[in-house]
Amino acid sequence: MVQKLVPCLVLSLVIFCSVTHVRSVASDHRYTVGDDVPLYVNKVGPFHNPSETYRYFDLPFCSPGPTKDKKEALGEVLNGDRLVTAPYKLDFLNDKDSEIACKKMLTKEQVAQFREVVSKDYYFQMYYDDLPIWGFLGKVEKEGKNDPSEYKYYLFKHLHFTIFYNKDRVIEIAAQSDPNNVVDLTEDKEVDVEFMYSVKWKETEIPFEKRMEKYSQSSSLPHHLEIHWFSIINSCVTVLLLTGFLATILMRVLKNDFVKYAHDEESAEDLEETGWKYIHGDVFRYPSYKSLLAASVGSGTQLFTLTIFIFMLAIVGVFYPYNRGALFTALVVIYALTAGIAGYTAASFFCQLEGTNWVRNLLLTGALFCGPLFLTFCFLNSVAIAYSATAALPFGTIMVIFLIWALVTTPLLVLGGIAGKNSKAEFQAPVRTTKYPREIPQLPWYRKTLPQMAMAGFLPFSAIYIELYYIFASVWGHRIYTIYSILFIVFIILLIVTAFITVALTYFQLAAEDHEWWWRSFLCGGSTGLFIYGYCLYYYYARSDMSGFMQTSFFFGYMACICYGFFLMLGTVGFRASLFFVRHIYRSIKCE
């Protein structure tokens, strides 16, 4: 089944890349003088609250005529994009000077509304020939004033567009607000506003194929690259020193154990066994809640596969800056297509553990990650609807996602489960399990589950915490992140350290004659996800200026889902590494 799934997934990735390429080619428009080049306004929102965005015309802007919504793809809607035709007309190679876009008499309520958004540093986003444009809606004059009631609030009413072209193509666009051409919003009184704009066309030698490079280069500047490489070198050195130290100890102790046990076998037979060999009859005793463990391993394997494919798409250049919604589309499509891997892994492992009700196990696998994600989405979507934000998904989009889940994810999950059940694979245990379990000796507090999880999660987290800032600043801010190769190196380091530290703690647990290692290895491996969520608290309060109920709930709600996904994925990595290690050491000795 797995061998058949992999070519299907690769084919799906090729199709996805091709569709993305076709879309990028479709935006390769050629124009002649006077052609109408599409300009769309997208959204407005507080600069420090990236999730809290609204439609442009939710604010009392005017328009010279009826507006028209642009059809959006699934990923664009998930990203909160709501493009609509702009009140400005930027014809190809037509310069304009102080052209009036439209006029409007602002009521007292509309003046108060504009003053409120200016005080919160609202920005706007537009797209011109698929090129992004940003700017602030106004400014607050605070100089020499200590009392907020004395602040002056101004709305920008004149936009200067500078557009660069190469022959018959648009290459670059910049928009600047005229700081001297403003509307005073300080008092609640009716104001007559003329929204104006100017257009200046300039020729450039930059080829069309490189017009998006300016956005990706911002994260590849020398000083940024130095910080990224410093973080990787710092992580590598720290991790290599610690893992090397642990590996040396572990190998030396294991070697001594093998020599000792071999010597014991050659000497008197009535010597009492000690250490990890003493519990050889219990170490492969199936764990409690084995259905939940199998479902967790299945979901973790699916999320690991999803992450690898996302990295593959990122490295080949699919997620170039402002390829709107490409990442969200990829996440939805690939997660749906990898459901068969979760079903196969969970059902196969559950049957190896001599589980009987494999249908219930399959249902648990399907709901283990999607269930919490769905509940979180329902709450956050309700919050977005209450705020009338663009993050609120339309009913049609929700139905599309439901159909993908019902017609793709669920059938693949069931097919994978059936294949896993029929695989007839047996659990490979190198030693026999005794009928009755041995009693676990009294252990000190630091050998309990929670202290062990804290020790296991700290080392992998220390390897990635510097890079986490840049990821958070990109996801929950306006920084552009394009150095996916460095991120992939950090991810590989994370996997290696997680596997090694879990194996080391599993050995020390077995050496203390505690044979209940199954769940402990999974929890220790996944504990890095809890550290990442702890970092969320630090980032929110110390490194960001996010505020408000909606932004706070979105940040902590969706980060909880992401960290839970990391918990399942890294827990699976830790468990698989520990299972391989335990099989290896017990296969290397002779046990009665």
Side-chain angles (χ1 to χ4, degrees):
M1 175 67 181
V2 174
Q3 288 81 357
K4 294 179 180 178
L5 277 173
V6 172
C8 295
L9 285 169
V10 173
L11 179 61
S12 302
L13 282 174
V14 171
I15 294 173
F16 181 82
C17 292
S18 302
V19 170
T20 308
H21 176 70
V22 166
R23 185 184 164 193
S24 66
V25 171
S27 64
D28 180 8
H29 295 130
R30 297 175 182 270
Y31 303 99
T32 58
V33 177
D35 281 355
D36 181 19
V37 184
L39 173 66
Y40 295 99
V41 289
N42 186 15
K43 51 192 176 184
V44 295
F47 182 75
H48 299 295
N49 289 355
S51 299
E52 187 183 345
T53 56
Y54 305 94
R55 287 176 174 267
Y56 183 84
F57 287 108
D58 284 348
L59 296 179
F61 287 108
C62 62
S63 178
T67 58
K68 183 180 179 182
D69 290 338
K70 183 179 183 295
K71 291 185 178 181
E72 302 286 352
L74 173 63
E76 294 170 330
V77 177
L78 293 176
N79 195 40
D81 291 336
R82 304 291 187 272
L83 272 66
V84 62
T85 50
Y88 309 106
K89 191 171 178 62
L90 311 184
D91 295 331
F92 192 68
L93 297 183
N94 277 4
D95 288 350
K96 294 182 179 180
D97 185 25
S98 299
E99 184 93 3
I100 296 176
C102 56
K103 300 178 181 180
K104 183 166 186 175
M105 174 66 74
L106 297 179
T107 64
K108 294 180 181 179
E109 293 77 15
Q110 291 172 338
V111 169
Q113 186 180 3
F114 268 127
R115 184 172 63 246
E116 176 72 14
V117 301
V118 168
S119 68
K120 293 181 178 179
D121 290 330
Y122 266 54
Y123 70 98
F124 66 82
Q125 185 185 51
M126 302 182 184
Y127 280 93
Y128 184 66
D129 195 44
D130 281 340
L131 293 172
I133 316 167
W134 312 267
F136 285 99
L137 297 181
K139 64 177 181 178
V140 182
E141 194 175 275
K142 303 180 181 179
E143 293 182 9
K145 302 177 180 65
N146 297 322
D147 187 357
S149 62
E150 298 178 355
Y151 292 168
K152 296 287 187 180
Y153 300 89
Y154 299 101
L155 174 70
F156 296 134
K157 65 175 185 177
H158 194 153
L159 270 179
H160 293 276
F161 293 98
T162 304
I163 310 173
F164 296 86
Y165 70 96
N166 186 344
K167 297 178 182 178
D168 54 358
R169 289 166 165 175
V170 177
I171 303 300
E172 185 179 338
I173 184 170
Q176 289 183 323
S177 302
D178 188 347
N180 300 317
N181 205 335
V182 295
V183 180
D184 192 344
L185 304 171
T186 307
E187 298 179 8
D188 285 335
K189 62 180 182 180
E190 292 185 350
V191 179
D192 193 9
V193 184
E194 287 185 344
F195 289 97
M196 299 184 294
Y197 66 105
S198 301
V199 184
K200 182 69 175 177
W201 287 85
K202 295 182 179 179
E203 192 169 7
T204 180
E205 298 297 324
I206 299 175
F208 180 84
E209 294 75 18
K210 295 184 178 181
R211 71 173 189 163
M212 300 302 290
E213 285 188 0
K214 63 169 286 189
Y215 305 106
S216 59
Q217 285 172 353
S218 61
S219 62
S220 305
L221 293 175
H223 65 279
H224 283 305
L225 281 176
E226 286 177 8
I227 296 173
H228 285 291
W229 282 115
F230 171 77
S231 73
I232 285 189
I233 293 171
N234 174 65
S235 300
C236 285
V237 171
T238 305
V239 167
L240 286 175
L241 286 175
L242 290 172
T243 52
F245 176 70
L246 284 173
T248 303
I249 294 177
L250 200 59
M251 293 304 176
R252 183 173 296 177
V253 170
L254 270 177
K255 184 178 179 182
N256 292 338
D257 285 348
F258 288 143
V259 172
K260 174 178 175 293
Y261 292 145
H263 176 72
D264 289 346
E265 288 168 5
E266 294 172 0
S267 57
E269 295 182 359
D270 57 347
L271 287 177
E272 184 179 357
E273 294 178 340
T274 58
W276 53 268
K277 186 181 178 184
Y278 174 68
I279 57 172
H280 65 81
D282 298 275
V283 74
F284 291 104
R285 189 179 305 281
Y286 298 146
S288 54
Y289 307 108
K290 55 188 177 184
S291 180
L292 179 59
L293 179 63
S296 300
V297 172
S299 297
T301 305
Q302 179 186 10
L303 293 172
F304 176 76
T305 309
L306 168 67
T307 307
I308 293 297
F309 279 123
I310 290 294
F311 269 118
M312 289 171 58
L313 292 175
I315 291 172
V316 300
V318 171
F319 306 130
Y320 59 84
Y322 301 105
N323 184 6
R324 297 192 311 278
L327 177 59
F328 288 103
T329 304
L331 286 171
V332 171
V333 171
I334 298 175
Y335 183 82
L337 293 174
T338 52
I341 293 177
Y344 178 86
T345 305
S348 175
F349 188 56
F350 183 62
C351 292
Q352 288 181 38
L353 299 182
E354 298 178 1
T356 52
N357 196 339
W358 67 276
V359 175
R360 187 174 65 179
N361 172 255
L362 208 57
L363 294 174
L364 181 60
T365 305
L368 195 62
F369 182 73
C370 285
L373 181 63
F374 174 73
L375 293 176
T376 303
F377 163 75
C378 289
F379 171 72
L380 295 180
N381 204 56
S382 301
V383 171
I385 291 172
Y387 274 73
S388 299
T390 61
L393 295 188
F395 179 75
T397 304
I398 296 175
M399 288 305 300
V400 168
I401 295 175
F402 173 77
L403 289 175
I404 291 174
W405 177 80
L407 301 179
V408 180
T409 305
T410 303
L412 285 176
L413 180 72
V414 172
L415 288 174
I418 293 173
K421 171 185 171 292
N422 296 329
S423 63
K424 305 298 183 183
E426 294 184 359
F427 186 77
Q428 301 296 321
V431 292
R432 290 197 303 270
T433 300
T434 57
K435 187 174 182 180
Y436 301 103
R438 291 181 186 270
E439 184 179 353
I440 299 173
Q442 188 69 29
L443 299 173
W445 66 269
Y446 57 84
R447 288 190 180 275
K448 302 293 184 181
T449 301
L450 288 179
Q452 293 286 297
M453 287 175 65
M455 285 188 278
F458 176 75
L459 187 58
F461 175 76
S462 67
I464 64 170
Y465 81 98
I466 295 179
E467 203 67 23
L468 274 181
Y469 168 75
Y470 290 96
I471 299 171
F472 274 60
S474 175
V475 176
W476 300 106
H478 303 280
R479 187 188 293 268
I480 298 172
Y481 193 99
T482 58
I483 316 176
Y484 300 114
S485 55
I486 289 180
L487 188 61
F488 185 66
I489 295 172
V490 172
F491 179 69
I492 296 299
I493 293 173
L494 174 65
L495 295 180
I496 294 172
V497 178
T498 299
F500 186 85
I501 194 68
T502 310
V503 165
L505 290 176
T506 299
Y507 170 77
F508 293 132
Q509 180 184 358
L510 296 178
E513 300 177 5
D514 181 358
H515 53 79
E516 294 180 347
W517 61 272
W518 300 74
W519 272 110
R520 177 78 63 83
S521 64
F522 189 93
L523 295 174
C524 286
S527 60
T528 305
L530 302 179
F531 275 81
I532 296 175
Y533 200 68
Y535 181 82
C536 293
L537 295 170
Y538 164 76
Y539 181 84
Y540 182 85
Y541 290 106
R543 303 302 294 270
S544 78
D545 295 313
M546 291 185 279
S547 60
F549 178 74
M550 177 182 169
Q551 182 61 47
T552 303
S553 59
F554 264 69
F555 178 78
F556 287 107
Y558 281 126
M559 283 310 303
C561 293
I562 293 172
C563 293
Y564 176 53
F566 266 92
F567 175 81
L568 292 174
M569 180 180 70
L570 296 178
T572 300
V573 171
F575 173 75
R576 288 292 189 187
S578 296
L579 180 60
F580 174 82
F581 169 77
V582 173
R583 279 174 172 163
H584 175 73
I585 62 173
Y586 281 96
R587 193 177 289 117
S588 302
I589 62 170
K590 296 179 181 179
C591 297
E592 297 298 329

